[in-house]
Amino acid sequence: MPTKFPKFTAPTYCGETRFADEKPTAVTLFSGLGSSSKALRDLGYDVLAHDFLPEAVASLNANGFDAIGGDIREVDFTHPIYSDTEVVVGGPPCQPFSQGGRNAGENDVRDMIPDFIRCVAQTLPKFFVLENVRGLAGPRHRDYLNRRVAEFEALGYVVEFKVLDAADHGVGQSRKRLFVLGIRADVNEERAEAGFKYPVHPIIWPRRTRQRTMAEALGWDRKIARARNLMTPVPGITTDPWQWVFERPGRRVLPARGAGGAGLPQGW
């Protein structure tokens, strides 16, 4: 049965006074609870956030964003509210490319990378960032990724992609994700004329930093770690089920099952 999405609801703030402060506009797609939207707002952008889940839209609106709800495939990005878009950021649904799914790729109805590309094509931002699971860059889907990158390049963008691990960039969790970054070619040329140091290869990836353990990142001591009981002990790393959070970044977090270890299976 085809996946059903809520019908797109046209925004009601389409007038010229939508943003009175005249900051640059950023568009976030598949915005969820708004992490990328908040980051862009912190960088000085007015953000137009999009998601099809009513709960996500309500949360975004409650936190001061102009949230647009509904099926992204019905959004007309040629509408005047998108005319000054400077950056587009989004993580299309990952299920088509996830190792834990069917790996149906472009044959999966949830593949919305084409609509991310359509947004870029219709708004022509200076920059874009697309995030997805690392499986998209793996052997099974690499041809598909290369074809999509070629579409971005045909629109006039310099594009690079790379798998990054959050644990290498200050986060106390090992989480590897693919990032596809693009900069419009004419913006690159302007940077070259202005004497920018890297006009030919304008995308500078962040440098790896020292990984922090889960306990270090959260400020936990052994007593807190045991009382919180939030971590899944990892067999084979240590005989002490509470010690591993002090040895490496985490991988997953589970709901608490009781203080002081109560509720843990026998032998953990």
Side-chain angles (χ1 to χ4, degrees):
M1 179 179 295
T3 302
K4 294 184 177 180
F5 296 92
K7 185 174 179 57
F8 170 65
T9 303
T12 58
Y13 45 81
C14 299
E16 295 181 358
T17 59
R18 174 175 63 88
F19 292 132
D21 51 17
E22 297 184 353
K23 294 180 181 178
T25 300
V27 170
T28 60
L29 307 176
F30 321 101
S31 305
L33 296 181
S35 57
S36 61
S37 300
K38 182 182 184 303
L40 288 163
R41 184 170 64 184
D42 290 347
L43 288 171
Y45 288 94
D46 279 323
V47 180
L48 283 171
H50 301 68
D51 204 278
F52 80 96
L53 287 176
E55 299 88 344
V57 173
S59 180
L60 289 161
N61 283 329
N63 284 281
F65 294 102
D66 289 298
I68 301 173
D71 188 343
I72 198 70
R73 295 170 296 186
E74 296 183 11
V75 179
D76 179 9
F77 294 108
T78 66
H79 191 285
I81 63 170
Y82 301 104
S83 60
D84 296 322
T85 299
E86 188 168 294
V87 59
V88 172
V89 176
C94 64
Q95 293 91 337
F97 314 101
S98 175
Q99 295 176 349
R102 293 177 297 172
N103 264 291
E106 60 187 308
N107 297 316
D108 193 314
V109 68
R110 295 166 294 184
D111 175 23
M112 296 190 186
I113 292 177
D115 282 281
F116 184 100
I117 296 174
R118 180 174 62 85
C119 176
V120 171
Q122 293 180 343
T123 60
L124 293 177
K126 292 182 178 179
F127 314 96
F128 70 80
V129 180
L130 185 153
E131 175 268 340
N132 213 281
V133 291
R134 57 177 172 169
L136 178 56
R140 186 183 184 96
H141 302 294
R142 176 59 71 90
D143 178 68
Y144 174 79
L145 175 61
N146 289 340
R147 284 188 280 121
R148 295 310 186 194
V149 167
E151 292 181 42
F152 284 126
E153 293 173 338
L155 292 171
Y157 286 86
V158 178
V159 184
E160 293 184 11
F161 60 85
K162 189 173 185 178
V163 174
L164 301 177
D165 187 345
D168 291 330
H169 304 283
V171 179
Q173 180 185 18
S174 180
R175 189 174 180 85
K176 296 179 180 180
R177 287 295 183 269
L178 170 71
F179 291 86
V180 182
L181 308 186
I183 177 173
R184 211 172 62 206
D186 64 301
V187 175
N188 188 33
E189 293 171 0
E190 292 175 2
R191 285 149 62 103
E193 293 175 358
F196 190 76
K197 187 177 180 181
Y198 302 100
V200 178
H201 301 287
I203 298 174
I204 304 173
W205 296 93
R207 293 183 178 180
R208 297 176 61 181
T209 59
R210 181 184 68 84
Q211 292 190 353
R212 298 194 295 171
T213 68
M214 176 66 81
E216 182 182 3
L218 295 176
W220 285 8
D221 58 22
R222 185 179 177 83
K223 181 178 180 180
I224 294 176
R226 186 174 182 83
R228 291 291 181 86
N229 184 19
L230 293 174
M231 300 298 119
T232 303
V234 180
I237 290 183
T238 174
T239 56
D240 184 345
W242 302 107
Q243 183 61 35
W244 77 265
V245 298
F246 300 96
E247 298 175 346
R248 40 156 269 190
R251 289 185 178 177
R252 66 177 68 178
V253 177
L254 297 181
R257 290 176 289 178
L264 284 175
Q266 186 176 4
W268 279 26

